[in-house]
Amino acid sequence: MKDLPLSGITVLSLEHAIAAPFCTRQLADLGARVIKVERPGAGDFARGYDQRVHGLSSHFVWTNRSKQSIALDLKQDPAREVLFELLARADVLVQNLAPGAAARMGLSFDALSQQFPRLIVCDISGYGDAADTPGPYRDKKAYDLLIQSESGFLSVTGTPDTPSKAGCSIADISAAMYAYSGILAALIERGKTGRGKRIDVSMLESMVEWMNFPMYYAFEGAAPPQRSGASHATIYPYGPFPAGDGKSIMLGLQNEREWRVFCDKVLGTPMLADDERFAGNHKRVANRDALRTLIVDCFAALSAAEILARLDAAQIANAAINDMHDVWAHPQLRARNRWVRVGTPMGEIAALLPPGVANADGAQMGAVPAVGEHSESILVELGYDAARIDGLRQAQAI
């Protein structure tokens, strides 16, 4: 066993979809033992989202490596008994069930802290699940795209004609990472006080925190940022531009020095830097259509590789516009040895090392579990004998 920062910490998770599983996977990466409670049979419904990874769900393999799966039908008393035996050994409980569902099963922090005073309870929900401040949205269903919309993200993302969602589960991810950091802080706090605490993470609040730049840009009734596709809404030129070979590149300017270098070394028209229409970022934004025409006309004679080479030589920020296949083969990730192999029920797959971890020795990179794969071994650990386990299985409690 690797000696990692969270080695010796046990996390019990009643989780599904993305937000809670992605949170607990971060904890598993750092060495925590994560026991994932799933419904017997189908398990976490995210297992059925697609079959893109050797028949397994892309979402599931991403968020569930290095975990143990125990199948429990929590509607049955014997299964709930197992759950509470696990809670007695756990440091953290994470759950993203429907608002109020955990409390109805006796799994609220108030109920659990009396029996398990050191237990940290992290509740993840769409709009917040605190009983004293429920708010009118507490019981609304909250999927990732709905929170992207409710938080204002869609209002600043997309084209002027069409709002667009993020291409990944950004609202789930934001909530997951605040839950993760909150749990780490709570573990440090428990080391000082000896007591657990409740963490109430709202997807809406997590996303609104990330929206604070456009919110302050629209401060006190000012006009909000306009949707501008892949271009920056308030800096120009900053975004995608077509090359003469049918490909596109991304570039970004940050200041007036770079603007002059760009005109001279990239466009080959140094006098453009003094054009009054483009003298300052606010003017370039106001006249972006005219400036874009000039840039596109210049780039039409060049390939994407040639443009990127000019930008690199001029030390102007730039990037290729990669698709998913390009990212799998990205030379920087390969050069830094960021890919390792992890197991799944359908064989090994590549997995990215967690950001900030130097190499495979610095993270727990365990297998993605099958539904209930560890039920028997966990029950044996709790002291259940074969006959008792068989009884639970026959009752379909596991």
Side-chain angles (χ1 to χ4, degrees), residues 37-82:
V37 178
E38 299 193 74
R39 295 169 298 170
D44 181 343
F45 59 72
R47 288 181 179 272
Y49 278 172
D50 59 61
Q51 298 180 327
R52 303 305 291 264
V53 187
H54 302 316
L56 304 175
S57 163
S58 57
H59 286 81
F60 192 85
V61 298
W62 164 45
T63 58
N64 287 284
R65 68 171 181 245
S66 302
K67 300 179 185 180
Q68 295 179 305
S69 171
I70 183 170
L72 293 174
D73 179 2
L74 296 178
K75 294 179 181 178
Q76 297 195 40
D77 289 339
R80 283 195 296 273
E81 290 176 12
V82 173

Short mmCIF file of all heavy atoms in Angstrom, two decimals, residues 37-82:
data_model
loop_
_atom_site.label_atom_id
_atom_site.label_comp_id
_atom_site.label_asym_id
_atom_site.label_seq_id
_atom_site.Cartn_x
_atom_site.Cartn_y
_atom_site.Cartn_z
N VAL A 37 -21.56 3.04 -2.01
CA VAL A 37 -22.77 2.26 -1.80
C VAL A 37 -23.64 2.36 -3.05
O VAL A 37 -24.01 3.45 -3.48
CB VAL A 37 -23.55 2.77 -0.57
CG1 VAL A 37 -24.85 1.97 -0.40
CG2 VAL A 37 -22.68 2.68 0.68
N GLU A 38 -23.96 1.20 -3.65
CA GLU A 38 -24.75 1.18 -4.88
C GLU A 38 -25.98 0.28 -4.70
O GLU A 38 -26.00 -0.62 -3.86
CB GLU A 38 -23.92 0.67 -6.05
CG GLU A 38 -22.70 1.53 -6.36
CD GLU A 38 -22.10 1.17 -7.71
OE1 GLU A 38 -22.70 1.52 -8.74
OE2 GLU A 38 -21.03 0.53 -7.71
N ARG A 39 -26.97 0.54 -5.54
CA ARG A 39 -28.14 -0.32 -5.55
C ARG A 39 -27.78 -1.69 -6.12
O ARG A 39 -27.06 -1.76 -7.13
CB ARG A 39 -29.24 0.30 -6.41
CG ARG A 39 -29.80 1.61 -5.90
CD ARG A 39 -30.67 2.26 -6.94
NE ARG A 39 -29.89 2.59 -8.14
CZ ARG A 39 -30.42 2.99 -9.28
NH1 ARG A 39 -31.73 3.08 -9.42
NH2 ARG A 39 -29.65 3.28 -10.31
N PRO A 40 -28.24 -2.77 -5.52
CA PRO A 40 -27.98 -4.09 -6.11
C PRO A 40 -28.49 -4.16 -7.54
O PRO A 40 -29.55 -3.63 -7.87
CB PRO A 40 -28.77 -5.04 -5.20
CG PRO A 40 -28.85 -4.32 -3.89
CD PRO A 40 -29.00 -2.87 -4.25
N GLY A 41 -27.70 -4.77 -8.40
CA GLY A 41 -28.11 -4.92 -9.80
C GLY A 41 -27.56 -3.81 -10.67
O GLY A 41 -26.43 -3.89 -11.16
N ALA A 42 -28.32 -2.74 -10.83
CA ALA A 42 -27.94 -1.67 -11.77
C ALA A 42 -26.85 -0.77 -11.23
O ALA A 42 -26.02 -0.25 -11.98
CB ALA A 42 -29.17 -0.83 -12.12
N GLY A 43 -26.82 -0.55 -9.91
CA GLY A 43 -25.83 0.34 -9.33
C GLY A 43 -26.09 1.80 -9.66
O GLY A 43 -27.21 2.21 -9.97
N ASP A 44 -25.05 2.59 -9.57
CA ASP A 44 -25.09 4.01 -9.91
C ASP A 44 -25.64 4.15 -11.33
O ASP A 44 -25.14 3.55 -12.27
CB ASP A 44 -23.67 4.57 -9.83
CG ASP A 44 -23.54 6.05 -10.13
OD1 ASP A 44 -24.46 6.63 -10.73
OD2 ASP A 44 -22.48 6.61 -9.81
N PHE A 45 -26.68 5.00 -11.52
CA PHE A 45 -27.28 5.07 -12.85
C PHE A 45 -26.34 5.66 -13.90
O PHE A 45 -26.56 5.50 -15.10
CB PHE A 45 -28.62 5.83 -12.82
CG PHE A 45 -28.56 7.25 -12.32
CD1 PHE A 45 -27.99 8.27 -13.06
CD2 PHE A 45 -29.13 7.56 -11.09
CE1 PHE A 45 -27.97 9.57 -12.59
CE2 PHE A 45 -29.12 8.87 -10.62
CZ PHE A 45 -28.53 9.88 -11.37
N ALA A 46 -25.26 6.29 -13.47
CA ALA A 46 -24.28 6.79 -14.43
C ALA A 46 -23.57 5.65 -15.15
O ALA A 46 -22.96 5.86 -16.21
CB ALA A 46 -23.25 7.69 -13.75
N ARG A 47 -23.65 4.45 -14.61
CA ARG A 47 -23.07 3.29 -15.30
C ARG A 47 -23.76 3.07 -16.65
O ARG A 47 -23.17 2.45 -17.54
CB ARG A 47 -23.23 2.03 -14.45
CG ARG A 47 -22.33 1.97 -13.22
CD ARG A 47 -22.55 0.67 -12.47
NE ARG A 47 -21.72 0.52 -11.28
CZ ARG A 47 -20.49 0.00 -11.25
NH1 ARG A 47 -19.95 -0.42 -12.39
NH2 ARG A 47 -19.82 -0.09 -10.13
N GLY A 48 -24.99 3.55 -16.80
CA GLY A 48 -25.74 3.31 -18.03
C GLY A 48 -25.78 4.47 -18.99
O GLY A 48 -26.53 4.44 -19.97
N TYR A 49 -24.99 5.52 -18.74
CA TYR A 49 -25.04 6.70 -19.61
C TYR A 49 -24.64 6.38 -21.05
O TYR A 49 -25.18 6.92 -22.00
CB TYR A 49 -24.13 7.79 -19.07
CG TYR A 49 -24.71 8.63 -17.96
CD1 TYR A 49 -23.92 9.55 -17.29
CD2 TYR A 49 -26.04 8.52 -17.57
CE1 TYR A 49 -24.44 10.35 -16.28
CE2 TYR A 49 -26.56 9.29 -16.55
CZ TYR A 49 -25.75 10.22 -15.91
OH TYR A 49 -26.25 10.99 -14.91
N ASP A 50 -23.62 5.55 -21.23
CA ASP A 50 -23.17 5.16 -22.56
C ASP A 50 -22.34 3.89 -22.42
O ASP A 50 -22.23 3.35 -21.32
CB ASP A 50 -22.37 6.29 -23.25
CG ASP A 50 -21.14 6.71 -22.45
OD1 ASP A 50 -20.25 5.86 -22.23
OD2 ASP A 50 -21.04 7.89 -22.07
N GLN A 51 -21.76 3.43 -23.53
CA GLN A 51 -20.93 2.22 -23.51
C GLN A 51 -19.63 2.46 -24.28
O GLN A 51 -19.13 1.57 -24.97
CB GLN A 51 -21.71 1.05 -24.13
CG GLN A 51 -22.97 0.70 -23.36
CD GLN A 51 -23.73 -0.46 -23.99
OE1 GLN A 51 -23.75 -0.63 -25.21
NE2 GLN A 51 -24.37 -1.27 -23.15
N ARG A 52 -19.06 3.65 -24.16
CA ARG A 52 -17.95 4.05 -25.03
C ARG A 52 -16.59 3.49 -24.63
O ARG A 52 -15.66 3.53 -25.41
CB ARG A 52 -17.88 5.58 -25.09
CG ARG A 52 -19.15 6.28 -25.58
CD ARG A 52 -19.60 5.75 -26.93
NE ARG A 52 -18.73 6.12 -28.01
CZ ARG A 52 -18.91 7.16 -28.83
NH1 ARG A 52 -19.97 7.92 -28.67
NH2 ARG A 52 -18.06 7.42 -29.79
N VAL A 53 -16.45 2.98 -23.40
CA VAL A 53 -15.15 2.50 -22.93
C VAL A 53 -15.21 0.99 -22.75
O VAL A 53 -15.49 0.48 -21.67
CB VAL A 53 -14.74 3.19 -21.61
CG1 VAL A 53 -13.31 2.81 -21.23
CG2 VAL A 53 -14.87 4.71 -21.72
N HIS A 54 -15.01 0.27 -23.85
CA HIS A 54 -15.10 -1.20 -23.84
C HIS A 54 -16.42 -1.66 -23.22
O HIS A 54 -16.47 -2.63 -22.46
CB HIS A 54 -13.93 -1.81 -23.06
CG HIS A 54 -12.58 -1.45 -23.58
ND1 HIS A 54 -12.26 -1.46 -24.92
CD2 HIS A 54 -11.44 -1.05 -22.93
CE1 HIS A 54 -11.00 -1.10 -25.08
NE2 HIS A 54 -10.49 -0.83 -23.89
N GLY A 55 -17.49 -0.95 -23.53
CA GLY A 55 -18.80 -1.31 -23.02
C GLY A 55 -19.18 -0.63 -21.72
O GLY A 55 -20.31 -0.79 -21.24
N LEU A 56 -18.25 0.12 -21.13
CA LEU A 56 -18.52 0.83 -19.89
C LEU A 56 -18.81 2.29 -20.17
O LEU A 56 -18.44 2.83 -21.22
CB LEU A 56 -17.33 0.71 -18.94
CG LEU A 56 -16.87 -0.71 -18.59
CD1 LEU A 56 -15.61 -0.68 -17.76
CD2 LEU A 56 -17.98 -1.45 -17.85
N SER A 57 -19.44 2.97 -19.21
CA SER A 57 -19.81 4.37 -19.37
C SER A 57 -18.59 5.29 -19.23
O SER A 57 -17.81 5.16 -18.28
CB SER A 57 -20.84 4.75 -18.32
OG SER A 57 -20.95 6.13 -18.17
N SER A 58 -18.46 6.23 -20.16
CA SER A 58 -17.35 7.19 -20.10
C SER A 58 -17.40 8.01 -18.82
O SER A 58 -16.37 8.27 -18.19
CB SER A 58 -17.39 8.10 -21.33
OG SER A 58 -18.63 8.77 -21.45
N HIS A 59 -18.60 8.45 -18.43
CA HIS A 59 -18.73 9.22 -17.19
C HIS A 59 -18.30 8.39 -15.99
O HIS A 59 -17.60 8.89 -15.09
CB HIS A 59 -20.19 9.66 -16.98
CG HIS A 59 -20.63 10.77 -17.88
ND1 HIS A 59 -21.05 10.56 -19.18
CD2 HIS A 59 -20.75 12.10 -17.67
CE1 HIS A 59 -21.40 11.71 -19.72
NE2 HIS A 59 -21.22 12.66 -18.84
N PHE A 60 -18.70 7.13 -15.97
CA PHE A 60 -18.45 6.31 -14.79
C PHE A 60 -16.97 6.00 -14.62
O PHE A 60 -16.43 6.11 -13.51
CB PHE A 60 -19.26 5.02 -14.84
CG PHE A 60 -19.27 4.29 -13.53
CD1 PHE A 60 -20.18 4.63 -12.55
CD2 PHE A 60 -18.34 3.30 -13.26
CE1 PHE A 60 -20.17 3.97 -11.32
CE2 PHE A 60 -18.32 2.65 -12.04
CZ PHE A 60 -19.23 2.99 -11.06
N VAL A 61 -16.28 5.61 -15.69
CA VAL A 61 -14.87 5.27 -15.54
C VAL A 61 -14.05 6.50 -15.15
O VAL A 61 -13.03 6.39 -14.44
CB VAL A 61 -14.29 4.61 -16.80
CG1 VAL A 61 -15.01 3.31 -17.12
CG2 VAL A 61 -14.32 5.54 -18.01
N TRP A 62 -14.50 7.68 -15.58
CA TRP A 62 -13.81 8.92 -15.24
C TRP A 62 -13.88 9.22 -13.74
O TRP A 62 -12.89 9.64 -13.14
CB TRP A 62 -14.44 10.06 -16.06
CG TRP A 62 -14.16 11.45 -15.61
CD1 TRP A 62 -12.96 11.99 -15.24
CD2 TRP A 62 -15.11 12.53 -15.52
NE1 TRP A 62 -13.10 13.32 -14.91
CE2 TRP A 62 -14.41 13.67 -15.07
CE3 TRP A 62 -16.47 12.62 -15.78
CZ2 TRP A 62 -15.03 14.90 -14.87
CZ3 TRP A 62 -17.09 13.85 -15.59
CH2 TRP A 62 -16.39 14.96 -15.14
N THR A 63 -15.03 8.98 -13.12
CA THR A 63 -15.24 9.46 -11.76
C THR A 63 -15.18 8.39 -10.68
O THR A 63 -15.40 8.70 -9.50
CB THR A 63 -16.62 10.16 -11.65
OG1 THR A 63 -17.65 9.25 -12.05
CG2 THR A 63 -16.68 11.38 -12.54
N ASN A 64 -14.86 7.14 -11.02
CA ASN A 64 -15.01 6.08 -10.02
C ASN A 64 -13.84 5.13 -9.87
O ASN A 64 -14.00 4.07 -9.25
CB ASN A 64 -16.29 5.29 -10.32
CG ASN A 64 -17.54 6.07 -9.98
OD1 ASN A 64 -17.90 6.21 -8.81
ND2 ASN A 64 -18.18 6.62 -11.00
N ARG A 65 -12.68 5.49 -10.36
CA ARG A 65 -11.55 4.60 -10.15
C ARG A 65 -11.14 4.62 -8.67
O ARG A 65 -11.49 5.52 -7.91
CB ARG A 65 -10.36 5.00 -11.04
CG ARG A 65 -9.72 6.32 -10.67
CD ARG A 65 -8.44 6.55 -11.45
NE ARG A 65 -7.83 7.80 -11.07
CZ ARG A 65 -7.68 8.84 -11.87
NH1 ARG A 65 -8.11 8.78 -13.12
NH2 ARG A 65 -7.10 9.94 -11.43
N SER A 66 -10.41 3.59 -8.28
CA SER A 66 -9.82 3.47 -6.93
C SER A 66 -10.86 3.36 -5.82
O SER A 66 -10.57 3.65 -4.66
CB SER A 66 -8.89 4.66 -6.64
OG SER A 66 -7.87 4.76 -7.60
N LYS A 67 -12.09 2.95 -6.16
CA LYS A 67 -13.13 2.82 -5.14
C LYS A 67 -13.51 1.36 -4.94
O LYS A 67 -13.29 0.52 -5.81
CB LYS A 67 -14.38 3.61 -5.55
CG LYS A 67 -14.15 5.11 -5.72
CD LYS A 67 -15.42 5.83 -6.14
CE LYS A 67 -15.15 7.30 -6.42
NZ LYS A 67 -16.39 8.01 -6.83
N GLN A 68 -14.11 1.08 -3.80
CA GLN A 68 -14.71 -0.21 -3.54
C GLN A 68 -16.23 -0.06 -3.64
O GLN A 68 -16.79 0.93 -3.16
CB GLN A 68 -14.33 -0.73 -2.15
CG GLN A 68 -12.85 -1.03 -2.00
CD GLN A 68 -12.52 -1.50 -0.60
OE1 GLN A 68 -12.82 -0.85 0.39
NE2 GLN A 68 -11.91 -2.68 -0.50
N SER A 69 -16.89 -1.02 -4.25
CA SER A 69 -18.34 -0.97 -4.41
C SER A 69 -19.01 -2.03 -3.54
O SER A 69 -18.68 -3.22 -3.64
CB SER A 69 -18.74 -1.19 -5.87
OG SER A 69 -20.15 -1.33 -6.00
N ILE A 70 -19.93 -1.57 -2.70
CA ILE A 70 -20.77 -2.49 -1.95
C ILE A 70 -22.22 -2.25 -2.37
O ILE A 70 -22.66 -1.10 -2.44
CB ILE A 70 -20.60 -2.32 -0.42
CG1 ILE A 70 -21.45 -3.37 0.32
CG2 ILE A 70 -20.92 -0.91 0.03
CD1 ILE A 70 -21.17 -3.42 1.82
N ALA A 71 -22.93 -3.32 -2.68
CA ALA A 71 -24.32 -3.21 -3.10
C ALA A 71 -25.22 -3.38 -1.88
O ALA A 71 -25.15 -4.41 -1.19
CB ALA A 71 -24.65 -4.27 -4.15
N LEU A 72 -26.05 -2.37 -1.61
CA LEU A 72 -26.96 -2.41 -0.47
C LEU A 72 -28.32 -1.86 -0.89
O LEU A 72 -28.40 -0.76 -1.45
CB LEU A 72 -26.43 -1.56 0.70
CG LEU A 72 -25.15 -2.02 1.39
CD1 LEU A 72 -24.73 -0.97 2.42
CD2 LEU A 72 -25.36 -3.37 2.06
N ASP A 73 -29.37 -2.62 -0.60
CA ASP A 73 -30.73 -2.13 -0.80
C ASP A 73 -31.15 -1.46 0.51
O ASP A 73 -31.60 -2.11 1.45
CB ASP A 73 -31.67 -3.28 -1.14
CG ASP A 73 -33.11 -2.81 -1.31
OD1 ASP A 73 -33.37 -1.59 -1.21
OD2 ASP A 73 -33.99 -3.66 -1.53
N LEU A 74 -31.01 -0.13 0.55
CA LEU A 74 -31.21 0.59 1.81
C LEU A 74 -32.68 0.68 2.22
O LEU A 74 -33.00 1.26 3.26
CB LEU A 74 -30.59 1.98 1.70
CG LEU A 74 -29.07 1.98 1.53
CD1 LEU A 74 -28.54 3.40 1.39
CD2 LEU A 74 -28.39 1.27 2.69
N LYS A 75 -33.57 0.10 1.43
CA LYS A 75 -34.96 0.00 1.84
C LYS A 75 -35.17 -1.16 2.82
O LYS A 75 -36.23 -1.28 3.43
CB LYS A 75 -35.87 -0.19 0.62
CG LYS A 75 -35.89 1.02 -0.31
CD LYS A 75 -36.79 0.77 -1.51
CE LYS A 75 -36.79 1.98 -2.45
NZ LYS A 75 -37.64 1.74 -3.66
N GLN A 76 -34.14 -2.02 2.93
CA GLN A 76 -34.25 -3.19 3.81
C GLN A 76 -33.43 -2.95 5.08
O GLN A 76 -32.30 -2.44 5.03
CB GLN A 76 -33.73 -4.44 3.10
CG GLN A 76 -34.53 -4.82 1.86
CD GLN A 76 -34.22 -6.23 1.41
OE1 GLN A 76 -34.06 -7.14 2.24
NE2 GLN A 76 -34.13 -6.43 0.11
N ASP A 77 -34.01 -3.33 6.21
CA ASP A 77 -33.36 -3.11 7.50
C ASP A 77 -31.97 -3.74 7.60
O ASP A 77 -31.04 -3.10 8.10
CB ASP A 77 -34.25 -3.63 8.64
CG ASP A 77 -35.48 -2.76 8.85
OD1 ASP A 77 -35.46 -1.58 8.42
OD2 ASP A 77 -36.46 -3.26 9.45
N PRO A 78 -31.78 -5.00 7.14
CA PRO A 78 -30.44 -5.59 7.24
C PRO A 78 -29.38 -4.78 6.49
O PRO A 78 -28.23 -4.69 6.94
CB PRO A 78 -30.62 -6.99 6.65
CG PRO A 78 -32.07 -7.30 6.83
CD PRO A 78 -32.76 -5.99 6.63
N ALA A 79 -29.76 -4.21 5.34
CA ALA A 79 -28.81 -3.40 4.58
C ALA A 79 -28.49 -2.11 5.31
O ALA A 79 -27.34 -1.66 5.32
CB ALA A 79 -29.37 -3.10 3.18
N ARG A 80 -29.50 -1.51 5.95
CA ARG A 80 -29.26 -0.29 6.72
C ARG A 80 -28.35 -0.57 7.92
O ARG A 80 -27.53 0.26 8.31
CB ARG A 80 -30.58 0.34 7.16
CG ARG A 80 -31.29 1.08 6.03
CD ARG A 80 -32.38 2.00 6.56
NE ARG A 80 -33.45 1.26 7.22
CZ ARG A 80 -34.49 0.75 6.59
NH1 ARG A 80 -34.61 0.90 5.27
NH2 ARG A 80 -35.43 0.10 7.26
N GLU A 81 -28.50 -1.77 8.49
CA GLU A 81 -27.61 -2.15 9.60
C GLU A 81 -26.15 -2.19 9.13
O GLU A 81 -25.24 -1.73 9.84
CB GLU A 81 -28.02 -3.51 10.15
CG GLU A 81 -29.34 -3.50 10.91
CD GLU A 81 -29.75 -4.90 11.34
OE1 GLU A 81 -28.92 -5.82 11.25
OE2 GLU A 81 -30.91 -5.07 11.76
N VAL A 82 -25.94 -2.75 7.93
CA VAL A 82 -24.59 -2.78 7.36
C VAL A 82 -24.08 -1.35 7.17
O VAL A 82 -22.93 -1.02 7.50
CB VAL A 82 -24.57 -3.54 6.02
CG1 VAL A 82 -23.20 -3.41 5.36
CG2 VAL A 82 -24.93 -5.01 6.23
#
